[in-house]
Amino acid sequence: MSVQIKFCGMMRTRDVEAALHNGASYVGAIMAGGPRNLSLRDAVATLAPAKGRAKRVVVIPPGRPAEIAEVAREFDVVQLHGDASADDILGLRELYSGEIWAVVRVGEEGMPAASRDLFSVADAIVFDKQTANGLGGSGMPINWNSLSEQLGAARPRRTILAGGLNSSNVAEAISMLRPDVVDVASGVEAAPGIKNHDLLRQFFQAVRSAEAVL
């Protein structure tokens, strides 16, 4: 089993280069608010070193498909970070040829039952931690074992695991949930949006070590 890595919340091109050097299959820029928020112009420029080397992901709230598609065309993947519906995804798919990911926020009671409606229409589901502000980014992990039991055999097309991952816990998360992609931001940072290159390397090594025992 090969687990891909997404390093998200990029704000500096030198961090993108370091992420590429440390096994990134995806690099992400955030346009959904918070301390790592970028303008479209800055997001495109920041992720530019990844073009043709890894997939560039823009994290953006759901909205009118035409407006999202206008932004998303600058990237390889659009991650709808909010309460996206199946209709939102289907509408966007008519206008955008890249990958469309939907975020499902997992709380103490697990994921909402209605989230399964997204499994068959999104190219991937990003499972993130439910937080007080509703949008994740807390650095707190999901209950991986509980989520795995809730999912059972009815998995999304691709499973992306986010929420509180770092080099110390990602191996356990992989063993419990067996995701296709692990998604990290705060777990490899010195400060919001400022990546620690040693932590990038440690995260990459932890993922590869976890693969070896699957």
Side-chain angles (χ1 to χ4, degrees):
M1 177 181 177
S2 177
V3 180
Q4 295 181 310
I5 299 172
K6 176 188 170 212
F7 290 118
C8 199
M10 293 294 177
M11 298 185 73
R12 307 188 303 179
T13 55
R14 60 182 175 274
D15 292 341
V16 172
E17 289 285 3
L20 295 169
H21 182 70
N22 285 287
S25 295
Y26 301 90
V27 289
I30 295 173
M31 295 180 60
R36 302 172 188 85
N37 193 67
L38 295 178
S39 67
L40 174 58
R41 178 178 178 180
D42 286 344
V44 170
T46 298
L47 300 188
K51 188 172 184 179
R53 300 165 68 190
K55 290 191 175 182
R56 299 159 298 157
V57 183
V58 62
V59 180
I60 191 170
R64 296 179 60 185
E67 294 174 357
I68 295 175
E70 190 66 27
V71 172
R73 289 189 188 104
E74 301 288 342
F75 305 90
D76 305 299
V77 181
V78 59
Q79 177 177 320
L80 298 177
H81 199 76
D83 294 321
S85 68
D87 286 344
D88 290 331
I89 295 168
L90 292 171
L92 179 58
R93 198 174 295 284
E94 294 180 359
L95 303 170
Y96 174 64
S97 61
E99 293 182 39
I100 302 172
W101 297 357
V103 172
V104 169
R105 295 169 294 181
V106 182
E108 296 306 316
E109 304 299 321
M111 67 175 184
S115 300
R116 291 189 182 276
D117 294 343
L118 304 174
F119 287 13
S120 63
V121 292
D123 293 300
I125 299 294
V126 181
F127 293 100
D128 202 354
K129 177 76 172 180
Q130 176 77 52
T131 63
N133 67 11
L135 290 179
S138 68
M140 298 296 292
I142 294 168
N143 184 325
W144 307 307
N145 190 55
S146 177
L147 177 60
S148 180
E149 290 178 355
Q150 187 179 14
L151 286 173
R155 294 290 184 109
R157 295 177 182 176
R158 301 189 79 214
T159 297
I160 301 174
L161 182 60
L165 295 177
N166 55 54
S167 61
S168 298
N169 65 17
V170 69
E172 182 182 4
I174 289 171
S175 69
M176 287 187 177
L177 201 60
R178 308 235 170 165
D180 299 290
V181 182
V182 286
D183 184 342
V184 62
S186 62
V188 292
E189 288 182 336
I194 307 300
K195 306 307 182 195
N196 179 309
H197 296 185
D198 285 337
L199 293 180
L200 291 172
R201 175 180 51 79
Q202 291 168 23
F203 190 87
F204 167 72
Q205 291 174 340
V207 172
R208 293 295 169 257
S209 295
E211 288 179 336
V213 298
L214 289 178

